Amino acid sequence: MFIAIFSLTLLGGALGLFLGYAARRLAVEGNPLVEEIQAILPGSQCGQCGFPGCAGAAQALANHEAPVTLCPPGGREVVALLAAKLGVEVNLTEVADTVPQVAEVLEDLCIGCTRCYKACPTDAILGAAKQIHAVFREACTACGKCVEVCPTEATRLIPVPVTLQSWYWSKPSLQGATA
Amino acid sequence: MREYLLLLLSTALVNNVVLVKFLGLCPFMGISKKVDTAVSMGLATTFVMTMASASCWLLEHWLLAPLGMLYLRILVYILVIAAVVQFTEMVVRKSNPALYQVLGIYLPLITTNCAVLGIPLLTTQENLPFAHSLLYGFGSAVGFSMVLALFAGLRERLAIAQVPAAFAGAPVGFITASLLALAFMGFAGLV
């Protein structure tokens, strides 16, 4: 048994060393700007900017193909950091400082037209024709497409409601610590 | 020489790994939408399969058999295959980033391509000498690449053909694959 353990460890170690050496030799240098931008972005991969994830958004930002205001969850702070990093002028007063949001369907206004259901890119809306629609909050990325298509203004974006799963103790305040 | 040629012919055509042994069907269906990517995937798999056959033979005869650890065979084989695939991935990423993007998840998935594990296990089972094992692996991989490229060509034509709605997409692909497998049955008895 010890021979087996020893030889397999040796084999694994040798292969690991070889791969480690190969990784050093064959390392690909990515665009350092992309990596720096990715470090600024929230990294929650929410997709609200329209890119598949923060990596795609960082790539587009580095190529100046997307505006620095693209990231809704990042808020003002991220816009300011991105503008400084890319050397772009931006009017910060136009950027709303938002909290995480989800879509909501107002049930007394919904006519069950299924337009939001068809527009939703993440299949977060439950519904059928002439049935009142509802939103799966876990799947919603708050992209706002349902708000645009709704003929009766029954969909809107609201801050993510606090539930038993998402509630947390507020951070201890400085006052409490000194008193 | 004649023996080696016959071995190559037998593994590539008569006992084709995809269409006769039905191993490695995942990349066969998954990466066969365009001929260029299919050929590249075939090249990567060829490299991995040949290296895996050779290194598995060496490990089998120099490590596992002398130390009486044959019960660890699959584990050791998988370890070696995973390392070779990792290495291939690094090389492809360095040498051809566009191809790396196109192959995507299928490149690391060569590790779980059952043909890559199946061929070394078959050569072990048949107790072939080293040169034969190497050729067996290489021949099978060539057969795999060839079938992948052939099938990709067929699917490129299929994409612009008029297919009944019920068969559009994957179903007609499967039907084509079965017809291709039937055609390859014609090689039986060649060697």
Side-chain angles (χ1 to χ4, degrees):
Chain A
M1 189 185 80
F2 290 109
I3 298 177
I5 293 175
F6 178 72
S7 53
L8 271 197
T9 314
L10 204 67
L11 183 66
L15 286 174
L17 276 178
F18 166 69
L19 282 179
Y21 177 70
R24 284 274 175 84
R25 284 297 302 272
L26 298 171
V28 180
E29 301 92 29
N31 187 348
L33 184 62
V34 174
E35 279 159 31
E36 282 170 35
I37 293 174
Q38 208 176 337
I40 293 173
L41 292 173
S44 56
Q45 325 292 349
C46 69
Q48 288 183 50
C49 52
F51 292 98
C54 294
Q59 188 78 47
L61 278 167
N63 297 337
H64 294 276
E65 285 163 3
V68 288
T69 52
L70 88 176
C71 183
R76 236 175 253 171
E77 196 186 348
V78 163
V79 173
L81 282 171
L82 284 177
K85 175 65 71 188
L86 292 168
V88 191
E89 294 273 320
V90 68
N91 187 358
L92 279 180
T93 52
E94 286 172 12
V95 183
D97 209 0
T98 53
V99 290
Q101 291 182 311
V102 285
E104 183 195 48
V105 175
L106 297 172
E107 286 161 9
D108 45 352
L109 289 178
C110 179
I111 53 170
C113 68
T114 71
R115 282 187 206 176
C116 55
Y117 168 78
K118 287 171 191 156
C120 183
T122 59
D123 279 350
I125 292 182
L126 165 78
K130 302 200 175 141
Q131 305 276 322
I132 291 171
H133 302 323
V135 177
F136 294 114
R137 286 181 178 151
E138 297 78 21
C140 178
T141 62
C143 64
K145 286 193 177 143
C146 49
V147 180
E148 288 163 22
V149 295
C150 184
T152 59
E153 297 186 2
T155 51
R156 60 173 185 178
L157 295 179
I158 53 165
V160 176
V162 177
T163 63
L164 276 179
Q165 280 76 36
S166 65
W167 182 83
Y168 55 88
W169 290 98
S170 51
K171 287 177 185 168
S173 65
L174 202 60
Q175 246 181 348
T178 51
Chain B
M1 194 62 217
R2 184 185 158 79
E3 189 191 359
Y4 291 132
L5 267 178
L6 281 181
L7 184 65
L8 265 181
L9 203 65
S10 135
T11 47
L13 291 177
V14 183
N15 293 313
N16 188 282
V17 65
V18 180
L19 293 175
V20 178
K21 290 189 189 131
F22 299 113
L23 292 171
L25 287 171
C26 163
F28 177 64
M29 293 308 294
I31 206 87
S32 59
K33 292 220 176 68
K34 279 167 89 185
V35 174
D36 331 355
T37 49
V39 170
S40 317
M41 181 69 178
L43 285 179
T45 314
T46 305
F47 178 73
V48 170
M49 230 187 240
T50 315
M51 290 296 288
S53 297
S55 42
C56 287
W57 191 93
L58 292 178
L59 283 173
E60 167 81 19
H61 290 262
W62 289 359
L63 181 76
L64 297 182
L67 297 180
M69 307 192 303
L70 291 175
Y71 58 95
L72 286 174
R73 185 184 287 148
I74 291 183
L75 199 113
V76 171
Y77 281 16
I78 284 286
L79 185 69
V80 170
I81 289 169
V84 176
V85 170
Q86 276 289 311
F87 181 68
T88 316
E89 193 185 344
M90 283 178 206
V91 171
V92 172
R93 192 172 173 188
K94 177 80 179 173
S95 58
N96 197 339
L99 179 64
Y100 181 75
Q101 284 280 333
V102 170
L103 290 181
I105 186 68
Y106 287 99
L107 196 52
L109 273 184
I110 299 178
T111 319
T112 54
N113 183 343
C114 53
V116 178
L117 178 64
I119 296 303
L121 285 175
L122 278 175
T123 56
T124 313
Q125 204 175 31
E126 293 181 15
N127 222 349
L128 296 173
F130 180 71
H132 284 70
S133 302
L134 192 70
L135 267 182
Y136 197 107
F138 180 69
S140 304
V142 167
F144 175 83
S145 315
M146 187 184 64
V147 165
L148 201 62
L150 274 178
F151 189 56
L154 287 174
R155 283 186 86 175
E156 274 190 354
R157 300 279 180 95
L158 270 179
I160 52 169
Q162 282 204 334
V163 178
F167 288 106
V172 79
F174 280 112
I175 292 171
T176 317
S178 65
L179 290 177
L180 203 56
L182 274 179
F184 264 70
M185 293 290 166
F187 287 120
L190 190 67
V191 174

